[in-house]
Every structure is written in C-alpha cells, then in structure tokens.
Amino acid sequence: MKRRTFLWSLPMTAALSAQTDPTSPPLFRFGVIADCQFADIPDHEEWNRRFRLSPAKLKEAVADLNTRDLAFVVNLGDTIDKILASFDVVLPIFATLKAPVRHALGNHDYDVADGERSAVPGKLGLTRGYYSWRAPGW
C-alpha cells in the first residue's frame, strides 16, 4: 500500500472502528481543510497551481462548513506557500469558522525564508510543531 493511500485511509478507519453500532448517532462530526497553499505569486501553469485563488476558495469552504454542526475543523497544513505574510491573509478567514480550528503544519508552511521558519508555529498559535486535543469520546 502506498503511503498516501494509507494516510488517506486513517480517518475513515478510525471513524468506522469507533462506530460499533451503525444505528447510533456519531460521537461528533468534524470538518477538514487541506492544502490552501496561498501565496501572492504568479500561477504555476505547468502544475496547474492558482495560488491567488486560495482565499476565495477558502471562504467558500468555510461558508459551507459553517452550515454544519461540527465539533471542530482540522486544517491539515500547507496553509501558505513561500511567503510568511501569507498567513495574514488566510488566518482571518479561518477565524470566521464557527467551530474551533486545529492547525497542523505542512512542508509548504515552512517553505519560507530561512530566518522566518521559526515563526511559523507561532503564526498558527502553536508553541511547538505538534500537539493533541480531546473530542467527545476521543
């Protein structure tokens, strides 16, 4: 099994294993956002990357998630690409989520200038690069 396939299967596997009685309601619901990768830089045509469209797409995703009853939203990382100040554009959009947001750090988040890498966790309100939290029943 490829690593990507395995990682994609983890949330579903956890959800299925936690649901012992399929007729019972779920313990909780959560949303997922991944790979926003915002940067105010030109498009990368070869990779079909449209960096500047990210804020509008994120607003659309947040609007949809805000219509749902969620315990939390997980941002799986790669929130920005290349420019540390890009956090200042997308984090206010994340702040409009009705559910608490839990940020993870991605490799693109650290694709900033060498001297700025240590500031990345703090931009997301993290004191270190990892953490955990509890959800109802988990």
Side-chain angles (χ1 to χ4, degrees), residues 35-44 47 49-52 54-55 77-90 106-113 116 120:
D35 297 291
C36 182
Q37 294 185 356
F38 171 66
D40 190 9
I41 58 176
D43 294 342
H44 193 295
W47 294 347
R49 298 281 305 280
R50 310 285 185 260
F51 300 98
R52 292 179 177 138
S54 296
D78 291 349
T79 305
I80 64 159
D81 203 315
K82 298 182 182 21
I83 304 167
L84 187 68
S86 296
F87 280 117
D88 299 336
V89 174
V90 292
N107 62 312
H108 288 262
D109 297 322
Y110 285 102
D111 193 20
V112 296
E116 297 177 330
V120 170

Side-chain angles (χ1 to χ4, degrees), residues 91-115:
L91 289 179
I93 301 169
F94 277 101
T96 65
L97 281 161
K98 291 179 181 176
V101 63
R102 310 296 186 191
H103 294 286
L105 296 164
N107 62 312
H108 288 262
D109 297 322
Y110 285 102
D111 193 20
V112 296
D114 289 341

Side-chain angles (χ1 to χ4, degrees), residues 4-63:
R4 177 174 285 186
T5 304
F6 172 73
L7 291 174
W8 275 91
S9 72
L10 287 178
M12 185 57 71
T13 303
L16 291 174
S17 65
Q19 190 83 16
T20 56
D21 178 3
T23 61
S24 66
L27 296 174
F28 58 89
R29 289 182 167 82
F30 65 95
V32 177
I33 295 175
D35 297 291
C36 182
Q37 294 185 356
F38 171 66
D40 190 9
I41 58 176
D43 294 342
H44 193 295
E45 297 297 332
E46 183 181 340
W47 294 347
N48 195 27
R49 298 281 305 280
R50 310 285 185 260
F51 300 98
R52 292 179 177 138
L53 295 179
S54 296
K57 289 181 177 185
L58 181 60
K59 285 178 186 176
E60 187 177 330
V62 166

Side-chain angles (χ1 to χ4, degrees), residues 103-105 110 118 120-122 124-133:
H103 294 286
L105 296 164
Y110 285 102
S118 63
V120 170
L124 295 170
L126 305 174
T127 57
R128 58 183 181 239
Y130 63 92
Y131 63 104
S132 65
W133 73 94

